[in-house]
Amino acid sequence: MGATAAALRPPGLRLRLRVRGSVQGVGFRPFAYGLAARLSLAGFVRNDGEGVLIEIEGPRTEAFLAALETGPPPLARIDSIEVTAIAATGGDGFSIDATQGGRSRTRIGADAGVCEACLDELFDSASRFFGYPLIACTHCGPRYTLTRSLPYDRAQTSMAPFPMCEACARDYADPGDRRFHAEPIACPRCGPKLSVPIAEVAQALRNGKIVALKGLGGFHLLCDARDEPAVAALRRRKARDAKPFAVMVANAASAARLADIGPAERALLTHRARPIVLARSRGALAPSVAPNLRDIGVMLAYTPLHWLVLHALAGAPDFRRWRDAPSELALVATSANLGGEPLVASDEDADSRLRGVADLIVTHERAIVVRADDSVLRVVDGAPAFLRRARGFVPDPIDLGADGPCVIAAGADLKNTVTITRGREAFVSQHIGDLDDRETIRFRQETVRRLIDLLQVEPELAACDLHPDFVSTRAAEASGLPLIPVQHHVAHVAATAAERRWRGPILGVALDGYGYGADGAPWGGELLALDGARWERLGSLAPLALPGGDRAAREPWRMGVAMLERLGRLDDAKTLFTAAPEAARLAEALRRGPRARRTTSLGRLFDAAAALAGVRLVQHYEGQAAMEFEALVERPRVVPGGWAVADHRLDFAPLMAAMLDGGLGGREAAEAFHGTLVAGLADWIGAAARARGLTRIALGGGCLMNRVLAEGLVEALRAAGVEPALPRQVPANDGGVSFGQAAFALARAGAAPAPSGET
Amino acid sequence: LSHGAGGRAMGRLIEDVFLAAFDNAWLAAGNDQSAFEVAACRMVMTTDAYVVSPIFFPGGDIGTLAVNGTINDIAMAGARPLYLSASFVLEEGLPLADLVRVARSMGEASRAAGVPIITGDTKVVERGKADKIFISTAGVGVTPPGLALSSDAVQPGDAVVVSGTIGDHGVAVMSKRENLEFETAILSDCAPLHGLVADMVAAAGPGLRVMRDPTRGGLAATLNELANQSGVGFTLEEDAIPVRAEVAAACEFLGLDPLNVANEGKLVAIVAPDRLEPLLAAMRAHPLGARAAMIGRAVEDPDRFVEMRTVFGGGRIVDWLAGEQLPRIC
Ligand SMILES: [Fe+3]
Ligand SMILES: [Mg+2]
Ligand SMILES: [Zn+2]
Ligand SMILES: [Zn+2]
């Protein structure tokens, strides 16, 4: 690109710049316009089907190129700039030309939190946007969630029904304004209206009421996070026993009152996507916000409407002094959905579904076209890691580093996402949810259709899980495309390898709850060798009975009994699990008939340990036992001889026996378990790496949501001289499976004929 | 039982077992086939193979299953079953006493239902080539004039009715197989349904769209099949589905969903909304339909989903499984 070739270009030539990436609707043209004006360059800029096309002519074109690469507008994402020299035309003046149609190779940006400039105007009584809850510009506001199809133009968004007033039209057409071609531009005169006055919303919250509030990708349910009866009422009405609620505050200083916010957390909180950030709680909120957990999820207000509500709640203080000042004000802000269904996004659904939950429903006339939950991240090993990737990050692509056919990957059935590839870009859909109800499955179909439409691709290959009863697998089968089934844990580790663009042989370690094994057995703690589309199962955790299948995942006491079977201590079931009346019966059943399936799952091993430690016998949400167990750890401790490796199987039975013999419970047990787990895993993985001569270790699977485990393991592996990688661009849990499937399918497609030795 | 040498004597012995157990004039005539008269009518014919382990279970055995299962397949067409045939594949080493027990219970089931077994055959195979005993049963029956039940006739708004509690048979077999004991013994619901069906046909007439016996794969498989054939969806209400408390508890313990568990004496009927009440009344008046219940409705759904509204207010897809229930939670 550009600068280095400068010497080759004789003066008097004109440069044509083809800019690709997320460059439309982000203020790129006014940026180019302003830049050209400053450098006295002639030419034009325009949007077209491939992105942005610029022509510049004049003595200072190199400065233009340099500025383009170093300081593009905040929401722009430049993938490439292709520069060609063409004959000069001798014209003067720089113009913004009309958009040219054509097959779109460009894309829609992700949604962004309200920018500083818009916030200033929102609270500036002299501004015509004063108090307008939907103020937005090219540097902020909705994108993906309000766009029906490309090209990104107002007519293709849910703002289409709102013709601009004169003032808005002027800003929209002014290349010097940050609202130049801001498709969602609107003001109190011409734009969508709020259904309830802000003061009334604030009053309801102040009175301990539950408010449903329309956000960017769906409705939130809000209540005062310091008001225990309000939070408890929300739990009751949402029929949500214990799963933690996220909390919204105005600024990072307020977040720091609620949780330990380091520089990395602060950077994440203020990232333009404004995700939910998990951080260690300081216990300042109502106890039922996140019962028994050490971390809480915090996010900053990200729509102008959020700001107006918080400001009113704070008693309408002077904005400039208030905006960055620490405040006690905190709202529970949880996705408005019911019983595992997708979040409510339309006014009709809000009306029919949220009636019994919210005391007040607050909406506005700007429709949400695409649903997107809040994204959730946490800092792991010094860098951000996704727990859920959705609003603010979708549809930004992940670079695969190499071209391939268009693949649609179906994902797994829980925490489902879909991935579609286009050339070297992989587009991972927003978090869709668990495919166990009609609404979520429809949401998935809708998401697939929309993504295909937005990307303007025709999938050539489908990838899916091996699980024969996954809804996602059936959808892939029904597509009629050539099908590439990918083993669940291969997909997990392939995802991590693909985001690193690791090619060639690597070691993959899946630390997971469950995946259908190549042999049909329930896998979950797997040591794999992966080389493109060739893979091999090198080892696994020592298998444990999985009594009652998914029941065992819901009731950790069952895994506790399974571990007792493994230890030959079934007689202890009765005394250890007095709170689980069926434990004795299960012990008897395991004694009589060894018919239960056996699993190599690490997730279930966590359950067994948490149950034996008396931490949790029955779970109310997925991963509760492991999360509460982790929350007890202060200082992990290694139990000497706590593991054994035989026949490539890593066995923690000695640790469990030691925990039982030592009568360890609660914190002691949690610290012994975590410490020994990390040491045992590192030992096992390190030995395999040495035996195979491999140094790259791709880690994947839902157990890596556990920070003590993830950080401990990468540290131990680095100390052992290998290079471990945690997933960074997709979640380690099943939300990342579709991306891994896509990557694996591309490897397979590029490796014709089908290699042997896998599945 | 033995295979090979001494085959003739063994064959004779086995024949006598069945003759005595089934005890009817057609078999006594000793032909390789049986003849019977039928008036001009619409007939139905069905055949089924029965394999079950263990062959004896609480509430029945493979023999009662073979008789009632085939009777029910005929009855589901709204037809009156007339005659059955039965052929047996026996594994060498099967105790004669077990064979006698199975034959007797078949004879009893057939007499109780009023449907004689009029022809049959037996083969003994080497050890390991069969699992104790396999039975293949065929049956014929006649349909009342004017009745045309069809699996593609379900309309949105139609009611889904079950004749009684769900999951009894599968759980009875499973508990026996797993060697489990529960406080209350769980018995198979194995029963012939043609009497109940006759009453239902009389009560609902052409409002009766289709009937099925939810055997293998349970209610879930049956409703998914109907949804596909009729191009509709179903929405079920969890709290309306009758499940015995002990069956529910056993399912919970075993990690089974009662909707995926086999039944052998229950039927699902889809009925037009205006015939629902008379149908339910007729069913509840019959001993095999005492706990009949409306459990949901057919709905318009291009995706043909079967969904259950749970007691917590959410929805849950009732899936059609490829095989045994596999874990899903990761
Ligand atoms: Fe997984
Ligand atoms: Mg769901
Ligand atoms: Zn802005
Ligand atoms: Zn306006």
Side-chain angles (χ1 to χ4, degrees):
Chain A
M1 260 179 288
T4 51
L8 300 176
R9 283 189 217 114
L13 273 191
R14 190 175 170 92
L15 296 186
R16 175 175 286 165
L17 317 180
R18 154 65 57 214
V19 187
R20 292 190 175 88
S22 192
V23 289
Q24 292 186 5
V26 292
F28 205 90
R29 288 174 299 168
F31 165 76
Y33 179 89
L35 193 56
R38 264 203 314 287
L39 298 171
S40 315
L41 298 175
F44 68 84
V45 57
R46 73 169 170 242
N47 284 348
D48 64 11
E50 297 202 37
V52 168
L53 188 73
I54 303 171
E55 287 188 11
I56 40 175
E57 187 174 337
R60 300 181 64 195
T61 53
E62 296 307 329
F64 187 98
L65 279 174
L68 210 56
E69 284 179 24
T70 55
L75 296 189
R77 250 182 71 153
I78 297 177
D79 291 344
S80 68
I81 305 175
E82 204 179 291
V83 184
T84 30
I86 54 173
T89 62
D92 56 22
F94 191 90
S95 62
I96 295 181
D97 287 6
T99 294
Q100 306 275 300
R103 204 179 121 86
S104 179
R105 297 291 299 177
T106 188
R107 53 183 186 237
I108 289 179
D111 303 83
V114 58
C115 71
E116 299 287 308
C118 283
L119 259 189
D120 282 339
E121 284 182 293
L122 180 64
F123 289 98
D124 175 3
S125 58
S127 164
R128 65 188 186 87
F129 296 99
F130 179 60
Y132 184 59
L134 298 174
I135 182 175
C137 74
T138 47
H139 301 162
C140 76
R143 294 277 183 293
Y144 180 57
T145 54
L146 96 171
T147 306
R148 289 182 216 286
S149 76
L150 280 176
Y152 179 61
D153 264 330
R154 192 174 178 99
Q156 311 281 10
T157 72
S158 59
M159 288 301 289
F162 301 94
M164 286 176 247
C165 69
E166 233 172 87
C168 284
R170 211 178 311 116
D171 287 355
Y172 184 87
D174 176 3
D177 195 286
R178 72 173 204 289
R179 274 180 284 267
F180 177 70
H181 278 258
E183 306 306 343
I185 185 179
C187 76
R189 281 191 58 197
C190 63
K193 307 260 183 294
L194 197 62
S195 68
V196 180
I198 296 288
E200 206 175 300
V201 181
Q203 194 53 48
L205 289 167
R206 214 173 277 130
N207 292 343
K209 301 279 196 251
I210 293 163
V211 173
L213 185 81
K214 198 185 216 174
L216 280 183
F219 280 80
H220 274 141
L221 291 169
L222 305 178
C223 72
D224 188 333
R226 300 159 301 173
D227 182 347
E228 175 62 24
V231 181
L234 178 55
R235 285 214 174 276
R236 249 187 340 269
R237 294 195 211 164
K238 226 189 149 185
R240 179 147 138 172
D241 281 346
K243 204 172 171 186
F245 286 140
V247 170
M248 178 181 281
V249 295
N251 50 38
S254 305
R257 297 181 68 120
L258 304 180
D260 294 345
I261 303 293
E265 280 85 6
R266 179 179 297 264
L268 261 186
L269 277 173
T270 53
H271 182 281
R272 63 181 172 82
R274 294 289 193 280
I276 296 171
V277 179
L278 295 191
R280 188 171 181 139
S281 170
R282 306 177 72 138
L285 297 174
S288 59
V289 170
N292 301 331
L293 297 182
R294 196 166 56 185
D295 290 352
I296 55 163
V298 194
M299 69 184 129
L300 303 190
Y302 57 85
T303 68
L305 181 51
H306 296 149
W307 276 97
L308 290 172
V309 169
L310 283 171
H311 184 249
L313 257 181
D318 173 66
F319 178 68
R320 283 175 186 281
R321 248 179 294 155
W322 173 74
R323 71 186 290 171
D324 298 314
S327 152
E328 287 179 352
L329 213 56
L331 294 175
V332 162
T334 181
S335 307
N337 62 353
L338 290 181
E341 292 187 347
L343 81 165
V344 169
S346 75
D347 294 354
E348 300 78 63
D349 277 358
D351 214 45
S352 62
R353 288 165 193 263
L354 301 179
R355 282 238 163 252
V357 183
D359 300 302
L360 179 65
I361 296 175
V362 184
T363 185
H364 54 68
E365 297 164 312
R366 188 179 73 200
I368 294 169
V369 176
V370 179
R371 280 180 284 205
D373 281 275
D374 293 319
S375 294
V376 186
L377 294 103
R378 97 182 330 171
V379 175
V380 178
D381 189 37
F386 281 103
L387 286 88
R388 185 164 75 197
R389 187 176 178 274
R391 176 187 54 74
F393 296 97
V394 175
D396 288 346
I398 299 169
D399 185 3
L400 292 163
D403 252 321
C406 175
V407 177
I408 175 162
D413 263 21
L414 299 192
K415 302 184 175 67
N416 180 258
T417 60
V418 178
T419 294
I420 297 178
T421 66
R422 183 177 72 181
R424 56 187 284 173
E425 302 167 306
F427 294 85
V428 183
S429 78
Q430 68 271 41
H431 164 85
I432 291 167
D434 298 345
L435 305 180
D436 54 8
D437 62 85
R438 219 182 244 158
E439 280 306 311
T440 309
I441 297 169
R442 293 233 166 94
F443 176 28
R444 181 181 187 280
Q445 293 168 342
E446 183 186 301
T447 303
V448 168
R449 269 198 302 272
R450 194 169 300 282
L451 269 178
I452 288 178
D453 185 48
L454 284 181
L455 301 175
Q456 305 197 357
V457 290
E458 268 173 52
E460 297 158 76
L461 290 172
C464 66
D465 200 274
L466 289 182
H467 198 301
D469 290 325
F470 269 0
V471 170
S472 53
T473 301
R474 302 224 182 112
E477 285 166 354
S479 72
L481 296 169
L483 197 62
I484 300 180
V486 187
Q487 201 280 324
H488 188 85
H489 302 108
V490 171
H492 268 307
V493 302
T496 308
E499 62 170 60
R500 290 288 175 118
R501 288 180 242 155
W502 279 354
R503 318 223 175 273
I506 58 152
L507 221 53
V509 180
L511 304 175
D512 203 34
Y514 164 75
Y516 189 89
D519 57 0
W523 292 10
E526 310 301 319
L527 185 57
L528 309 168
L530 181 68
D531 185 1
R534 215 181 280 265
W535 68 273
E536 207 182 319
R537 188 190 199 196
L538 300 180
S540 65
L541 295 187
L544 280 180
L546 184 66
D550 274 348
R551 274 272 157 192
R554 298 204 177 89
E555 299 171 7
W557 65 265
R558 288 171 181 263
M559 291 313 301
V561 176
M563 180 52 80
L564 292 177
E565 185 212 24
R566 172 80 182 71
L567 297 173
R569 296 182 178 202
L570 277 174
D571 289 340
D572 295 348
K574 224 183 196 145
T575 45
L576 276 171
F577 299 115
T578 44
E582 296 280 59
R585 189 198 305 283
L586 179 58
E588 198 47 40
L590 286 175
R591 202 191 313 274
R592 284 197 209 160
R595 269 190 36 92
R597 277 189 212 96
R598 287 184 182 262
T599 183
T600 51
S601 164
L602 179 59
R604 298 299 85 81
L605 181 67
F606 259 100
D607 292 344
L612 289 172
V615 170
R616 179 147 294 278
L617 300 187
V618 175
Q619 319 204 55
H620 300 291
Y621 58 90
E622 207 196 319
Q624 185 182 13
M627 283 163 74
E628 291 178 352
F629 205 37
E630 179 195 4
L632 295 172
V633 178
E634 285 298 339
R635 204 174 286 278
R637 178 172 75 78
V638 180
V639 173
W643 69 94
V645 180
D647 202 17
H648 304 286
R649 280 194 162 153
L650 175 61
D651 191 354
F652 287 101
L655 164 66
M656 295 297 189
M659 280 166 56
L660 285 174
D661 291 336
L664 302 193
R667 161 147 307 145
E668 282 181 312
E671 295 184 339
F673 181 77
H674 281 81
T676 313
L677 181 67
V678 165
L681 285 169
D683 178 32
W684 182 53
I685 297 165
R690 282 190 297 279
R692 290 250 155 183
L694 297 174
T695 52
R696 290 173 159 179
I697 322 282
L699 304 171
C703 295
L704 295 169
M705 307 270 101
N706 182 313
R707 190 158 77 159
V708 175
L709 169 61
E711 291 183 341
L713 187 56
V714 292
E715 202 176 300
L717 287 174
R718 278 189 208 116
V722 293
E723 188 191 355
L726 290 168
R728 295 293 181 191
Q729 305 201 52
V730 294
N733 62 31
D734 283 6
V737 164
S738 68
F739 176 65
Q741 289 171 346
F744 184 86
L746 284 173
R748 166 72 73 81
S756 57
E758 90 281 323
T759 60
Chain B
L1 300 186
S2 64
H3 171 72
R8 253 178 68 127
M10 182 55 67
R12 189 65 231 158
L13 177 70
I14 293 170
E15 229 170 89
D16 287 345
V17 167
F18 289 122
L19 266 178
F22 296 175
D23 183 30
N24 62 53
W26 289 275
L27 282 183
N31 295 320
D32 278 347
Q33 71 290 116
S34 289
F36 49 83
E37 305 288 331
V38 274
C41 67
R42 190 178 168 85
M43 297 198 69
V44 294
M45 179 171 177
T46 186
T47 185
D48 251 305
Y50 293 87
V51 296
V52 63
S53 172
I55 59 173
F56 300 105
F57 46 82
D61 59 43
I62 190 170
T64 48
L65 220 53
V67 169
N68 290 330
T70 302
I71 287 174
N72 291 346
D73 278 349
I74 290 173
M76 289 312 110
R80 180 164 60 86
L82 296 176
Y83 303 106
L84 300 178
S85 76
S87 57
F88 299 82
V89 175
L90 308 174
E91 186 189 18
E92 189 183 1
L94 175 78
L96 185 63
D98 283 359
L99 180 66
V100 171
R101 195 171 150 196
V102 169
R104 281 195 183 140
S105 57
M106 286 181 82
E108 275 163 35
S110 136
R111 273 187 298 279
V115 186
I117 303 164
I118 62 172
T119 186
D121 186 43
T122 310
K123 297 283 184 299
V124 180
V125 297
E126 281 169 61
R127 220 178 262 274
K129 298 241 160 123
D131 183 8
K132 294 193 180 77
I133 178 165
F134 295 161
I135 307 178
S136 183
T137 320
V140 292
V142 294
T143 318
L147 189 70
L149 302 179
S150 172
S151 57
D152 60 6
V154 184
Q155 311 280 324
D158 286 354
V160 182
V161 170
V162 292
S163 63
T165 54
I166 290 303
D168 302 27
H169 172 76
V171 170
V173 171
M174 201 85 65
S175 313
K176 173 83 181 176
R177 199 187 292 161
E178 304 270 337
N179 225 332
L180 289 174
E181 276 160 29
F182 294 99
E183 289 68 26
T184 318
I186 294 166
L187 303 183
S188 166
D189 56 353
C190 189
L193 295 168
H194 57 303
L196 173 66
V197 165
D199 293 356
M200 291 169 66
V201 169
L208 199 55
R209 310 276 197 219
V210 63
M211 286 182 291
R212 283 287 166 85
D213 55 338
T215 53
R216 243 182 112 96
L219 199 58
T222 300
L223 288 176
N224 274 290
E225 213 169 277
L226 289 177
N228 270 327
Q229 286 161 341
S230 285
V232 297
F234 288 105
T235 299
L236 310 180
E237 300 299 329
E238 181 172 30
D239 51 8
I241 301 172
V243 182
R244 276 181 215 284
E246 59 269 29
V247 170
C251 279
E252 215 171 286
F253 180 76
L254 293 164
L256 299 174
D257 182 341
L259 298 187
N260 293 121
V261 171
N263 308 277
E264 289 294 345
K266 296 293 154 39
L267 62 80
V268 186
I270 312 293
V271 64
D274 59 331
R275 302 308 296 161
L276 171 64
E277 285 313 318
L279 180 77
L280 274 178
M283 291 175 82
R284 285 171 182 158
H286 191 281
L288 290 176
R291 290 192 64 181
M294 202 272 260
I295 60 166
R297 296 226 177 246
V299 295
E300 212 160 310
D301 181 357
D303 298 316
R304 302 167 186 197
F305 288 128
V306 180
E307 190 186 55
M308 184 165 79
R309 307 304 301 175
T310 69
V311 289
F312 304 109
R316 180 164 74 70
I317 287 293
V318 175
D319 208 0
W320 194 347
L321 304 181
E324 57 179 333
Q325 287 177 40
L326 292 168
R328 302 162 83 94
I329 297 179
C330 181

